[in-house]
Amino acid sequence: MKNRVRELRTEAGMTQQQLADLVHVSSRTIISLEKGQYNPSLLLAYRLALVFRTTVEDLYCMAENKEQEDRENEEWT
């Protein structure tokens, strides 16, 4: 799932470990999030959004991800 975690973290001048400490996860989790290899729990997504003073929808590009999923689902029907 596309997200803006890396973009916002680097803009904030934070390391992966610093962000991980703020949201109570391991740095490996942050690495996986940034690579789009891990979908967070709703609570983790909310914590990340709070850190970056944004919404979960913006942080996780929800409209764009929905459009992508809709296109993929159309291909299967």
Side-chain angles (χ1 to χ4, degrees), residues 1-65:
M1 178 182 315
K2 181 177 178 178
N3 66 69
R4 299 180 59 221
V5 175
R6 176 178 284 143
E7 171 191 345
L8 295 174
R9 177 184 60 75
T10 55
E11 283 177 9
M14 257 187 260
T15 66
Q16 291 170 330
Q17 186 61 59
Q18 288 169 326
L19 179 56
D21 291 344
L22 286 173
V23 296
H24 312 293
V25 297
S26 71
S27 60
R28 298 293 315 155
T29 298
I30 300 301
I31 291 166
S32 294
L33 285 170
E34 290 183 352
K35 290 181 176 180
Q37 297 172 338
Y38 175 74
N39 292 331
S41 68
L42 183 55
L43 183 56
L44 177 53
Y46 180 68
R47 285 181 177 167
L48 289 163
L50 287 175
V51 166
F52 297 123
R53 295 186 176 108
T54 190
T55 63
V56 172
E57 291 86 354
D58 181 55
L59 182 62
Y60 279 89
C61 312
M62 297 306 287
E64 187 177 336
N65 283 320

